Amino acid sequence: CGGENGSFLAAWDKDSGTELWRTIRSSTGCWTTPVVVQAGIGLRKRHELIVNGSGSRAGSIGTVTAYDPRDGKIFWYAQGTTDIPCPTAITGEGFVVSTSGANGPIFSIRTGGQGNVTESHVAWRYPSGGSDVSTGVIEGKRLFLVSERGIASCYQVITGKQIWQTRLRGDFSASLVVGSGRVYATSEQGNIYVFEAADQFHLLATNSMGERCLATPALIENTIYIRTAMHLYCIGKPLDQAADTLAGV
């Protein structure tokens, strides 16, 4: 709960509804969704609950914070987000990538730290280029992002080296999704751009949904669900073909 006042992070027992713990956050606004990652190796493995940023009335620098999902205590934090972030932390390859603010900072943090890790665990940083709303994706060792104005970029996750950058038509609020080696970028104008999750930009298709679209597509197995302003689409095998598949025909 990231409001102007009384921000907190809490956990409930999913069966009984009993509140297990509640941690007060010194934040005055945060739209991001928490994510859980596994950090460490061997006997030192642990789960970390990541929140991408925090708000501040004074306009000070926000923090990416990792909590212990068992009790809500802070493992580590890294400073560098802009005020009141929207994107969710992007996780993969042992890193947490943060973007925040319109053309705001992009920076990558190694998981598994303790305390203030701004100097010790931030692997790389760009002062600008981050998206304000859309969350990017990590596929393999590549990070893909798209800005509000349609600047699509690909970076190496480990080094932060930019591999390519191109412009897509339209404005983008929906987050990127990836499946079968393809990245899907949905514009507010209702165009879904499909390109390869590769070291070179290769546009495979542009699909027009014919109306405004703000929602992120959902990929479940071999099916894509797309919610536009007026419709919900399910794109995949027709039901009769799916039934035949299940029956082993």
Side-chain angles (χ1 to χ4, degrees):
C1 179
E4 293 183 5
N5 299 287
S7 293
F8 65 87
L9 185 68
W12 283 264
D13 184 286
K14 66 180 181 180
D15 295 321
S16 68
T18 301
E19 185 175 301
L20 302 176
W21 53 258
R22 179 176 294 229
T23 298
I24 303 301
R25 280 173 44 84
S26 57
S27 171
T28 57
C30 181
W31 293 91
T32 184
T33 300
V35 293
V36 176
V37 300
Q38 182 171 281
I41 57 175
L43 297 177
R44 300 184 65 183
K45 283 183 180 178
R46 72 185 189 193
H47 287 96
E48 298 179 350
L49 180 63
I50 312 293
V51 180
N52 181 36
S54 57
S56 170
R57 286 194 182 89
S60 60
I61 295 175
T63 61
V64 179
T65 309
Y67 298 86
D68 188 335
R70 299 170 300 179
D71 55 21
K73 293 181 180 179
I74 294 176
F75 280 134
W76 56 260
Y77 64 93
Q79 298 172 318
T81 67
T82 55
D83 200 23
I84 312 182
C86 293
T88 295
I90 310 162
T91 61
E93 297 295 311
F95 292 87
V96 173
V97 179
S98 169
T99 66
S100 60
N103 198 34
I106 309 170
F107 62 103
S108 176
I109 311 154
R110 289 188 296 273
T111 59
Q114 197 70 40
N116 187 345
V117 300
T118 307
E119 298 298 328
S120 61
H121 281 61
V122 173
W124 51 266
R125 184 190 301 268
Y126 285 92
S128 61
S131 58
D132 189 29
V133 178
S134 174
T135 299
V137 292
I138 289 175
E139 173 72 357
K141 298 183 183 300
R142 306 179 190 91
L143 164 70
F144 299 91
L145 300 174
V146 65
S147 72
E148 276 62 48
R149 298 295 175 244
I151 303 298
S153 306
C154 175
Y155 301 85
Q156 290 181 354
V157 175
I158 297 175
T159 67
K161 178 183 177 182
Q162 187 178 91
I163 301 173
W164 55 256
Q165 187 175 84
T166 190
R167 178 180 288 276
L168 305 175
R169 286 178 173 266
D171 305 302
F172 292 79
S173 294
S175 297
L176 299 178
V177 292
V178 63
S180 300
R182 298 174 175 89
V183 180
Y184 297 80
T186 304
S187 74
E188 294 183 8
Q189 290 73 22
N191 293 316
I192 301 179
Y193 298 91
V194 186
F195 55 87
E196 288 185 352
D199 288 340
Q200 291 184 337
F201 178 75
H202 180 204
L203 184 65
L204 299 172
T206 302
N207 304 295
S208 176
M209 305 308 297
E211 58 189 17
R212 186 170 172 80
C213 188
L214 299 177
T216 300
L219 276 61
I220 303 175
E221 296 181 347
N222 295 319
T223 305
I224 303 175
Y225 295 90
I226 301 169
R227 181 164 63 87
T228 63
M230 299 298 293
H231 297 86
L232 173 64
Y233 294 90
C234 174
I235 301 174
K237 286 186 177 180
L239 291 177
D240 56 346
Q241 290 185 25
D244 290 343
T245 300
L246 291 174
V249 175

